[in-house]
Amino acid sequence: MTSSNPTRPPLVDSFGRTHTSLRLSVTDRCNIRCFYCMPAEGVRFLPRSEILSFEEITRLVRVVVPLGVTRIRLTGGEPLVRAELPKLMAMLREIDGLADLALTTNGMLLGEQAEPLKRAGLDRLNISLDTLDAAKFERMTRRQGLQQVLTGIDAAQQAGFESIRLNALAIRGETEDEVVPLVEFARSRGLVMRFIEFMPLDADGAWQHDRVLTGEAIRGMLERELGPLEPAERTDTSQPAMDYVFADGSGTVGFINPVSEPFCGACDRLRLTAEGQVRNCLFSTTESDARSLLRSGADDAAIEQLVRDCVAAKKPGHGIDDQTFLRPRRAMYQIGG
C-alpha cells in the first residue's frame, strides 16, 4: 500500500459523533426499478460527464481517510452497472488506513463479477433480496431476474466472501409472507438476514407511515414460527442493525429500524453521491459540492474543509416522525443506499 497523509483531527460533529464511515455512490443507474426506490418509467440518469471518475473518487477518499474514515461502502443505483468497478476497488485498496471495503448490490450481475471483485480487494457484500417468489420479485422490481440474484449469491459464496448479508425491505401489506422463507433460506446457506424498515425515499412519493413493517413486528413473527431470538454481541455500537441469534444457534437475523427506533445518536456515516455531493445524512435536504473543488484545482485542504463543514452542519436526527420533516428532493437511487 502507498502511504496517505498523516492522521489529522477526526470528523466530529456538534453533537460529539465521530464519523468513520463513508457511503460512496458510484452511479445513479440501475438495472431494476424497485417501487420503493425508483419510478417505473421516465428515469433521467446523470450524464457520464457529471459522474465522478475513479481518480476523483480515490482522491476524495485519500483526503478523508486521514481524518478517521476507515470504512467505505460502495453503493448506487446499482454499483455493478458501473464499468470496470474492480479497478476502483484496487485503487481504493492502495490507500493506507482504509480498513474495510464493502459493497451493496441487487445481485443481478454478481454471478459474473463476484470473483473479480474479491480479487480486487472487496471485503464484504450486502445483497438485496426482498422475496424468493419470482412473481412477487417481478412485481416489486418491475423486472424479471430472481434466478440471477440467486446465482449471484452462489457465486459470491464460491468466490470466498466470508461476510455476506442479505437485505430485505419490510413493507406492511407486501412482505409479511416473505419473512420466514427468507430467514430459512439465509440460515440454510450460513448467511445473515437483515430486514430494513420502509423509509420515505421512494421516487413515487407513495410512502406512508402505516406501510412500515417494524422490526419488532418481524421479530415477533420469527419467534412464533422459528423459535426464540437472543441479542447478539454488539461489537460496533455505531452499526444501524440490531442483530439477534436464534437460541438454538441456527442463524443470525438483524433489524434496521430507522423509522420505529431511530439510531441517529450513534450515526458515524457520511455520504457521497455519484456526482460528488457530500451529504451528512440520508435525509439531508442540503449537500456540499465536492465535485466543483475536485475539478477546479482546489488543494486537499479545501476538500478537507468542505467535509468538515458538512459534518459540523449535521442535525441531531433525521426527524421522520417530526411534524416539520421534509422529504429529501432525491430518491434513494439518486443519493446512494
Side-chain angles (χ1 to χ4, degrees), residues 18 20-21 23 71 73 100 124 126 163 165 167 192-196 230-245 252-258 261-269 271:
T18 300
T20 61
S21 175
R23 300 297 199 269
R71 294 175 291 137
R73 175 172 294 281
D100 184 67
R124 299 187 294 114
N126 282 10
S163 179
R165 294 170 180 156
N167 289 343
V192 175
M193 187 73 230
R194 281 184 170 172
F195 296 94
I196 305 171
E230 300 173 347
E233 181 180 359
R234 193 168 175 81
T235 56
D236 179 5
T237 56
S238 67
Q239 75 170 27
M242 296 297 294
D243 288 336
Y244 290 80
V245 295
T252 301
V253 61
F255 307 99
I256 299 178
N257 305 330
E261 300 178 72
F263 39 81
C264 303
C267 182
D268 68 345
R269 289 170 294 286
R271 296 175 182 273

Side-chain angles (χ1 to χ4, degrees), residues 217-234:
I218 295 173
R219 182 183 170 191
M221 293 165 60
L222 289 172
E223 292 197 313
R224 287 192 296 273
E225 296 289 332
L226 300 177
L229 288 162
E230 300 173 347
E233 181 180 359
R234 193 168 175 81

Side-chain angles (χ1 to χ4, degrees), residues 176-184 187 195 217-229 246 248 250:
E176 288 92 338
D177 291 345
E178 309 305 317
V179 169
V180 171
L182 284 170
V183 170
E184 291 182 323
R187 290 199 301 182
F195 296 94
I218 295 173
R219 182 183 170 191
M221 293 165 60
L222 289 172
E223 292 197 313
R224 287 192 296 273
E225 296 289 332
L226 300 177
L229 288 162
F246 284 96
D248 62 5
S250 61

Side-chain angles (χ1 to χ4, degrees), residues 33-39 77 198 201-204 331-334:
R33 295 290 184 272
C34 299
F35 73 83
Y36 52 76
C37 180
M38 298 181 73
F198 186 25
L201 289 166
D202 56 312
D204 295 333
M332 179 70 89
Y333 75 98
Q334 297 168 312

Side-chain angles (χ1 to χ4, degrees), residues 10 15 26 40 114 129-130 171 186 193 215 221 243 253 261 263 280 292 335:
F15 301 94
V26 297
L129 182 65
D130 298 324
I171 305 172
M193 187 73 230
M221 293 165 60
D243 288 336
V253 61
E261 300 178 72
F263 39 81
N280 57 28
S292 64
I335 298 171

Side-chain angles (χ1 to χ4, degrees), residues 222-335:
L222 289 172
E223 292 197 313
R224 287 192 296 273
E225 296 289 332
L226 300 177
L229 288 162
E230 300 173 347
E233 181 180 359
R234 193 168 175 81
T235 56
D236 179 5
T237 56
S238 67
Q239 75 170 27
M242 296 297 294
D243 288 336
Y244 290 80
V245 295
F246 284 96
D248 62 5
S250 61
T252 301
V253 61
F255 307 99
I256 299 178
N257 305 330
V259 179
S260 67
E261 300 178 72
F263 39 81
C264 303
C267 182
D268 68 345
R269 289 170 294 286
L270 284 170
R271 296 175 182 273
L272 182 70
T273 69
E275 78 277 32
Q277 304 300 303
V278 182
R279 300 172 64 92
N280 57 28
C281 177
L282 183 60
F283 293 93
S284 177
T285 56
T286 60
E287 299 175 331
S288 302
D289 187 4
R291 185 183 66 190
S292 64
L293 295 182
L294 291 164
R295 295 186 176 178
S296 65
D299 60 16
D300 288 357
I303 298 170
E304 174 182 334
Q305 191 59 54
L306 177 140
V307 175
R308 289 193 182 279
D309 290 345
C310 183
V311 170
K314 189 165 184 169
K315 295 180 179 180
H318 54 56
I320 292 176
D321 282 335
D322 194 297
Q323 289 185 346
T324 63
F325 174 73
L326 293 175
R327 287 177 56 115
R329 293 188 301 273
R330 294 176 183 258
M332 179 70 89
Y333 75 98
Q334 297 168 312
I335 298 171

